[in-house]
Amino acid sequence: MITCGIKLTHDAAFCIMEDNRLLFSIEIEKLHNNRRYSKFTATLEEMEALLGRYNIRFADIDRMVVDGWGVWEGNTVTEDKPSLSMKLATGQLNLEVAPYGFLLKGDQVLERRHFHSNGFPFSYSSYPHVSGHLVGAYASSPFAVAQENAFLLVWDGATAPQLFHWDVIRGKMEALGVLMPVTGNIYPGFASCYEPFTREGFDGNEEKGIAGKVMAYIATGRVAADLLQRFEEHYRHLRQQLQVMTPASVDAFTWKLSDGWRNLAAAGGYEAPDVLATFHAALQKLLISSLEACLHKHPVKGPVNLAYSGGCALNIKWNNAIRNSRLVDHIWVPPFPNDSGNAIGMACCEVTNALGIKPLRWNVYSGPEIVASTIHPDWQERENFTTAQLARLLAVTGAPVVFLHGAAELGPRALGARSILASPASPFMKGILNEVKFREHYRPVAPVCMEEEAPAVFDPGMPDPYMLFEHQVRKSWIERIPAVCHLDNTARVQTVSRTGHPVLYSLLSAFRDITGIPLLCNTSANLNGSGFFPDVRSVMDWGRTDYIWCNGSLYYRKHLSAEQHWEEILPGC
């Protein structure tokens, strides 16, 4: 069975699955240097051309499934009949879809709606948007492989955190309720009232990026214990007044809470960094305490597994807090927990309905391949440039290298397929990379580390291949790798195994042999505000680095081609 999943709204994508095996997922932002968080801009004709790269035609597709969505009244999502637009060569087409899925009942998660719209050449199904997060997270998890039961937590911008339990043996999904009546939009919404995140100058795309910046910025402040107590008291006061849980009442609660917390901070005269650090801590405490209360009400036999998805699952500090709370034995966050993974989630819903609960067979490097392009006249190519040679170049020059390899990674994090890599040994490298990327000074640079070496460098240093948890840099390493140490000496580590990414692993191993350091700086390779680079020429036109390594070839500016330059880097070449 060939299934095509489509996500039409922001973080748009489409994917192809053969039974329960993911063949590929194309996120629209990763094509043509499109803007981040792009809506679906490909026409059916363009989509068919992209499918052709993988020798698939529309005629081969057995089932097509479109992500559900909501109808918004102001900031509130309703459960009215929504429809979404899709471009055809002849114009716009409206497609009716399933609702958003706020306050889903367990039996509604896999409730299949089937449609056929005039002008659209296929019949298609649709599931609630929240269902895509839930089913995609479970299907991609190790719990699905082991056929184990799991709690499923989803928290995204438009919904409050909702907890479910999936009993695999009985085939039953049970909705356990809302943990706390706070939508994920509170995070960027609250922060956008404070410098440097004021709404002035932000368009819709940039506003979606605020949450990640706030997560980094709070390291510049401190949690004010007295303000945290006032925040908690205000939440309890409002919570006692909330009688009925609806999309409108939860949305109203969220903004009353946000306004009240902001007024409390203003009355105390606190500085913005401290307000935001305290705000983050207050939400974290509420998340952990409400999760604890719900799990206590619903005890289970055997291991307590949790699959967590939705945009809020990109918050590594909250992920860490859940893991460290010991409330669950195992936590799983997919590398595509936000809407970029919902084309996959929709396809998983359809496959589950057709074939039963099956683990998704997938690889994180299943995005678009590098597109062939011409070389800029000011650049030249050196073929068959090995990872050992690249490691020496990184060590000797101290220069950043754009590293492009194979198919792009799924989700928003650069995981060594569309990365900028650099030596972590220089205390100036973080500033250099932030300047190269036109990023704020407080933004951290992530380390990518050999998996078996990570425990010696980081605490806990456990396997973290998708960069979704926080680790502490061990004291003995802080001065050796200053470029990847955040202001609070934490790091968002990506661990790489020998089998997970053999090429990147070999580069890290060679760099360790030269320097004694088993890791490199890793940040995303993209134009500011756009998705990952789709080709080598885009990097050359961007012009912010001197070196590009792509699938075994090194590209460099011609003025770097003097013989003594290469003799210094690679003696004997």
Side-chain angles (χ1 to χ4, degrees):
M1 184 177 79
I2 302 294
T3 304
C4 176
I6 303 178
K7 168 74 163 68
L8 290 174
T9 49
H10 68 82
D11 293 290
F14 69 94
C15 74
I16 293 291
M17 286 172 52
E18 183 177 22
D19 293 335
N20 62 322
R21 180 168 70 96
L22 178 68
L23 301 184
F24 62 85
S25 179
I26 305 294
E27 296 160 42
I28 299 302
E29 71 171 43
K30 294 174 183 173
L31 300 173
H32 316 304
N33 293 302
N34 286 335
R35 297 283 290 169
R36 289 200 66 196
Y37 318 111
S38 288
K39 294 181 179 179
F40 203 92
T41 56
T43 65
L44 284 177
E45 294 75 15
E46 291 166 334
M47 187 175 167
E48 188 166 33
L50 289 167
L51 291 173
R53 297 181 187 176
Y54 301 89
N55 297 315
I56 293 174
R57 302 166 301 160
F58 275 132
D60 299 324
I61 296 173
D62 299 301
R63 299 191 179 212
M64 188 166 287
V65 54
V66 180
D67 186 33
W69 204 239
V71 176
W72 265 260
E73 297 175 359
N75 290 322
T76 304
V77 62
T78 73
E79 297 297 277
D80 294 337
K81 289 184 178 180
S83 65
L84 300 173
S85 62
M86 186 174 187
K87 289 197 301 183
L88 296 175
T90 55
Q92 292 285 113
L93 175 70
N94 288 327
L95 301 178
E96 188 177 355
V97 295
Y100 199 90
F102 192 97
L103 298 176
L104 273 183
K105 297 177 181 178
D107 58 2
Q108 294 174 324
V109 171
L110 285 169
E111 185 177 311
R112 184 175 188 260
R113 293 164 173 81
H114 198 71
F115 304 100
H116 191 101
S117 296
N118 290 333
F120 192 63
F122 314 99
S123 63
Y124 63 96
S125 57
S126 185
Y127 298 83
H129 175 74
V130 168
S131 300
H133 285 307
L134 292 169
V135 181
Y138 180 81
S140 62
S141 74
F143 317 137
V145 175
Q147 288 290 288
E148 293 179 346
N149 298 340
F151 290 97
L152 309 179
L153 174 61
V154 59
W155 189 12
D156 67 6
T159 66
Q162 302 175 73
L163 190 67
F164 297 77
H165 184 261
W166 199 336
D167 189 318
V168 177
I169 304 302
R170 297 168 59 200
K172 181 180 180 182
M173 180 81 76
E174 182 181 5
L176 306 181
V178 169
L179 297 187
M180 57 183 187
V182 182
T183 67
N185 283 332
I186 193 174
Y187 203 76
F190 183 90
S192 64
C193 297
Y194 295 90
E195 293 290 348
F197 306 109
T198 52
R199 289 186 183 274
E200 183 179 358
F202 283 100
D203 64 18
N205 269 4
E206 289 169 320
E207 197 166 316
K208 290 184 179 70
I210 290 178
K213 295 179 180 181
V214 176
M215 188 170 57
Y217 185 72
I218 59 175
T220 67
R222 64 174 185 85
V223 176
D226 54 343
L227 182 61
L228 178 61
Q229 182 178 350
R230 293 189 184 99
F231 279 3
E232 293 173 329
E233 290 171 351
H234 183 65
Y235 171 83
R236 288 194 293 269
H237 173 71
L238 286 182
R239 185 66 185 87
Q240 290 171 357
Q241 299 176 14
L242 182 63
Q243 301 298 318
V244 180
M245 205 83 74
T246 66
S249 67
V250 169
D251 187 68
F253 181 95
T254 298
W255 300 116
K256 283 182 182 178
L257 180 67
S258 180
D259 290 344
W261 281 0
R262 193 166 57 251
N263 292 335
L264 288 170
Y270 297 92
E271 297 293 326
D274 297 342
V275 173
L276 292 173
T278 306
F279 161 76
H280 175 98
L283 286 177
Q284 179 172 296
K285 286 189 69 176
L286 288 173
L287 175 62
I288 298 302
S289 62
S290 60
L291 177 62
E292 181 178 20
C294 196
L295 291 175
H296 182 72
K297 288 181 182 178
H298 301 280
V300 294
K301 295 180 180 180
V304 180
N305 301 320
L306 177 69
Y308 180 25
S309 62
C312 294
L314 289 172
N315 191 310
I316 62 169
K317 292 182 179 293
W318 291 347
N319 296 351
N320 228 47
I322 294 173
R323 184 172 66 182
N324 293 341
S325 71
R326 307 295 183 183
L327 293 173
V328 299
D329 296 306
H330 307 285
I331 178 174
W332 164 254
V333 182
F336 39 79
N338 64 337
D339 280 13
S340 67
N342 251 40
I344 297 172
M346 283 295 109
C348 287
C349 289
E350 188 76 349
V351 169
T352 299
N353 252 333
L355 305 177
I357 300 172
K358 291 183 177 295
L360 178 65
R361 296 162 57 200
W362 64 286
N363 187 300
V364 72
Y365 303 104
S366 298
E369 297 279 352
I370 292 288
V371 177
S373 61
T374 58
I375 299 176
H376 192 284
D378 293 336
W379 288 68
Q380 61 190 68
E381 178 183 4
R382 191 181 182 101
E383 296 180 337
N384 301 316
F385 201 82
T386 68
T387 53
Q389 291 172 318
L390 181 59
R392 182 163 179 81
L393 186 150
L394 286 162
V396 172
T397 67
V401 175
V402 172
F403 186 86
L404 309 177
H405 177 73
E409 47 276 269
L410 304 176
R413 301 271 162 83
L415 301 173
R418 305 291 184 270
S419 292
I420 303 175
L421 304 179
S423 170
S426 168
F428 304 108
M429 185 54 71
K430 183 193 300 185
I432 291 170
L433 290 173
N434 279 336
E435 183 180 355
V436 164
K437 295 284 300 291
F438 300 107
R439 301 198 320 175
E440 298 82 358
H441 68 90
Y442 58 82
R443 301 281 293 278
V445 172
V448 55
C449 183
M450 299 171 69
E451 182 178 275
E452 67 271 26
E453 299 277 4
V457 184
F458 304 101
D459 181 16
M462 61 199 304
D464 191 355
Y466 308 126
M467 206 186 290
L468 287 164
F469 293 90
E470 185 178 67
H471 302 252
Q472 198 77 27
V473 182
R474 296 192 184 275
K475 289 182 179 180
S476 60
W477 278 88
I478 290 174
E479 292 186 359
R480 296 185 66 186
I481 53 172
V484 297
C485 298
H486 195 25
L487 300 172
D488 53 3
N489 289 326
T490 60
R492 188 176 68 186
V493 180
Q494 178 199 356
T495 58
V496 178
S497 68
R498 191 184 300 273
T499 56
H501 193 325
V503 174
L504 181 57
Y505 182 90
S506 70
L507 173 62
L508 295 170
S509 179
F511 188 79
R512 179 198 57 184
D513 293 344
I514 296 168
T515 65
I517 298 174
L519 60 96
L520 289 165
C521 297
N522 175 22
T523 187
S524 58
N526 61 296
L527 297 173
N528 194 15
S530 296
F532 300 150
F533 287 121
D535 53 50
V536 170
R537 181 58 184 260
S538 296
V539 188
M540 295 173 179
D541 292 340
W542 177 58
R544 301 290 291 175
T545 60
D546 290 334
Y547 300 100
I548 306 163
W549 188 92
C550 179
N551 291 336
S553 288
L554 183 75
Y555 301 86
Y556 55 94
R557 297 181 190 275
K558 285 182 177 178
H559 73 266
L560 300 174
S561 61
E563 291 183 8
Q564 63 270 22
H565 177 80
W566 291 111
E567 183 64 28
E568 177 188 358
I569 298 172
L570 303 171
C573 286

